[in-house]
Amino acid sequence: MSSVTIALGSLVLMLVFIYAGMHVSITLGLISFVGVWLIRDDAGIAANLLAQAVSDSIASHIFGVVPLFVLTGFLVAYADVGKDAFEVANQAFRRIRGGLGVATVAANAVFAAITGISIASAAVFTRVAVPQMLRFGYQPKFAVGVVAGSSVLGMLIPPSLLMILYGFLSDQSVGDLFTAGIVPGLLLAVAFGVVIVLMAHLRPGMIYRDATPQPMEEEALMPLGEMVRKIVPIVLLIGSILGGIYAGFFTATEAGAVGALMALLIAVVRRKLTLRSFWGVLTETGHVTVSVSFLIICANIYTRMLAMSGTPQAMLEWMSAAGLGVAAFLLIYVLIVILLGTIIDSASILLIMLPLMLPIAQQFDLNLIWFGVVTVVAVEIGLLTPPFGLSIYVIKSTLGKTVDISLGDIFRGTAPFTLTMLVVLALLLAFPQISLVLLK
């Protein structure tokens, strides 16, 4: 077999192993090792490549950004910052038809600017927003759909764990990726809000249990002092993390440290953190960090195996011979990413696709920061699409037996938001300046 045949065969075998339940990192490492062994016909070379990748992949201090932002996300969840963001947003949008849905999107956008983890957003707002929406006569399908749809903002609005992973894999500035994600993230949040308001006016039966919406119960307005008390920690967190990066005071790694410290202080001041729960936070942070680091190591091995096989160059030559240009490449790439999102998780898609596609994108002279934003949006669509739809399963698990709703209904509830994401993705492809405007 030729080297290219071995590499392409490894792709198919990888998907089979992952879908069969094998851990992504183990799959990448094992298949890459065997691939190099077959290409060079020498197990010693494969073993040396494996050892070198392990020592080189995460040696830089910049990888400290991963545990720091993960720690920040867990601490913020314990400090009830997501709950506060929802309550403040609810006050702001209480007079708008579909206001609780818009408030959920707004609160998710704020929460995303602190944590950067979609799954955390899905879990938090399932507990906070869904009961409120059901209480005021919203359709269960819509209530869980808006939570699932807006949870994807966690991977687009910085800081984003997925953008950090993309930055490592593509050797691009994490700070620039964060900056490039701001406008698309806000655009997506606004688009979600507009869709909810339009649905509430044009198709109220999709939102409310009764086709004619009933007025919300009149609740006492939140006192100004209480609103300030809830807003101040949010402003401090966002200002310390993002403000410091964009003002040039510190790097993305240093911003993660500052964010973790601020989140810890807020959790302690609010008395939301005990020694036992803090140990649990540290343990979970360690689990996630080790998992991400192992993924990066094995992705590095896989990248080297593909480069050794010459597959990216062969694919570029094939595309040139077929007369396919930049537009065709982007459409094929986005379609494959979205389809992969129906069967595997976000990080796995990046680890499989980027080593193969980044060299081609560079040959086409594409801006890799913009390419990263497009990739993240396309990958996040997979969080909402069956049969995998990780956010859907997180919401179903979080609901437990409190709400009687099937997985199919949750997927159907997310459909308007999936379509909205596809429209925003098309805009990002057509107008790259949407992503790059703040970098100029």
Side-chain angles (χ1 to χ4, degrees):
M1 290 188 293
S2 68
S3 298
V4 174
T5 302
I6 292 171
L8 293 178
S10 73
L11 281 171
V12 177
L13 196 59
M14 188 184 308
L15 290 174
V16 172
F17 283 176
I18 291 173
Y19 202 56
M22 183 178 285
H23 193 277
V24 178
S25 302
I26 296 173
T27 301
L28 281 168
L30 177 63
I31 287 181
S32 300
F33 176 81
V34 174
V36 173
W37 187 354
L38 292 174
I39 291 170
R40 291 299 181 89
D41 196 24
D42 190 334
I45 294 177
N48 290 335
L49 186 68
L50 186 67
Q52 186 179 359
V54 170
S55 63
D56 293 347
S57 298
I58 55 173
S60 173
H61 75 281
I62 64 173
F63 286 90
V65 73
V66 175
L68 291 171
F69 276 119
V70 171
L71 177 60
T72 301
F74 282 125
L75 288 171
V76 162
Y78 266 94
D80 282 343
V81 173
K83 180 173 179 288
D84 290 347
F86 176 76
E87 290 176 353
V88 172
N90 186 26
Q91 289 290 312
F93 298 105
R94 58 187 283 120
R95 300 298 180 187
I96 298 175
R97 186 176 291 185
L100 276 176
V102 177
T104 302
V105 172
N108 246 317
V110 172
F111 195 69
I114 302 171
T115 61
I117 306 174
S118 291
I119 304 307
S121 297
V124 167
F125 288 98
T126 298
R127 296 189 187 97
V128 171
V130 171
Q132 279 286 86
M133 283 189 272
L134 295 180
R135 177 185 167 203
F136 286 116
Y138 283 70
Q139 289 272 16
K141 186 165 60 176
F142 171 80
V144 294
V146 72
V147 169
S150 56
S151 72
V152 302
L153 296 170
M155 286 301 183
L156 188 56
I157 295 177
S160 160
L161 195 59
L162 209 58
M163 283 190 173
I164 292 171
L165 183 57
Y166 175 89
F168 292 157
L169 294 173
S170 63
D171 196 26
Q172 298 297 304
S173 165
V174 173
D176 285 350
L177 285 164
F178 282 177
T179 303
I182 293 176
V183 175
L186 294 177
L187 174 63
L188 185 58
V190 170
F192 283 161
V194 170
V195 166
I196 291 169
V197 173
L198 289 175
M199 288 171 63
H201 283 85
L202 302 178
R203 300 290 298 274
M206 295 180 66
I207 294 183
Y208 300 97
R209 282 195 289 266
D210 296 325
T212 303
Q214 298 176 356
M216 292 178 62
E217 297 174 15
E218 288 297 327
E219 292 186 342
L221 287 172
M222 186 183 296
L224 181 60
E226 184 180 354
M227 187 174 292
V228 170
R229 181 177 61 81
K230 293 178 182 293
I231 290 176
V232 167
I234 296 171
V235 173
L236 286 175
L237 277 167
I238 296 176
S240 61
I241 295 173
L242 300 184
I245 293 175
Y246 303 137
F249 294 145
F250 36 71
T251 64
T253 305
E254 293 164 344
V258 172
L261 176 61
M262 292 294 298
L264 177 61
L265 291 175
I266 290 169
V268 170
V269 169
R270 291 184 163 189
R271 299 181 181 180
K272 297 289 186 179
L273 202 63
T274 63
L275 287 176
R276 183 174 182 178
S277 60
F278 185 52
W279 177 252
V281 166
L282 294 177
T283 303
E284 287 298 313
T285 300
H287 288 163
V288 174
T289 302
V290 169
S291 178
V292 172
S293 298
F294 195 27
L295 282 170
I296 293 171
I297 289 170
C298 293
N300 187 278
I301 302 168
Y302 177 57
T303 301
R304 297 182 186 200
M305 187 271 288
L306 286 178
M308 186 179 293
S309 72
T311 301
Q313 186 61 35
M315 289 188 66
L316 184 64
E317 292 173 359
W318 172 80
M319 292 181 72
S320 299
L324 300 178
V326 176
F329 163 70
L330 288 171
L331 288 175
I332 292 171
Y333 172 69
V334 166
L335 180 61
I336 293 173
V337 168
I338 292 174
L339 289 176
L340 284 176
T342 65
I343 56 173
I344 56 178
D345 65 277
S346 303
S348 303
I349 296 171
L350 289 187
L351 296 170
I352 292 171
M353 292 297 293
L354 290 182
L356 190 63
M357 295 300 184
L358 277 174
I360 300 175
Q362 289 173 313
Q363 287 291 326
F364 279 125
D365 201 26
L366 297 177
N367 185 300
L368 294 188
I369 298 294
W370 163 75
F371 189 72
V373 174
V374 168
T375 299
V376 169
V377 175
V379 165
E380 286 298 279
I381 292 174
L383 286 178
L384 306 179
T385 50
F388 192 75
L390 187 57
S391 279
I392 309 302
Y393 288 94
V394 169
I395 289 171
K396 179 65 175 175
S397 175
T398 305
L399 287 173
K401 297 181 179 179
T402 59
V403 179
D404 184 19
I405 186 169
S406 67
L407 281 172
D409 280 340
I410 301 177
F411 276 118
R412 282 187 283 274
T414 63
F417 305 99
T418 304
L419 293 174
T420 303
M421 289 187 72
L422 288 171
V423 172
V424 171
L425 178 59
L427 289 173
L428 294 175
L429 286 169
F431 305 101
Q433 57 269 33
I434 295 175
S435 303
L436 305 176
V437 64
L438 295 181
L439 293 173
K440 297 179 180 178

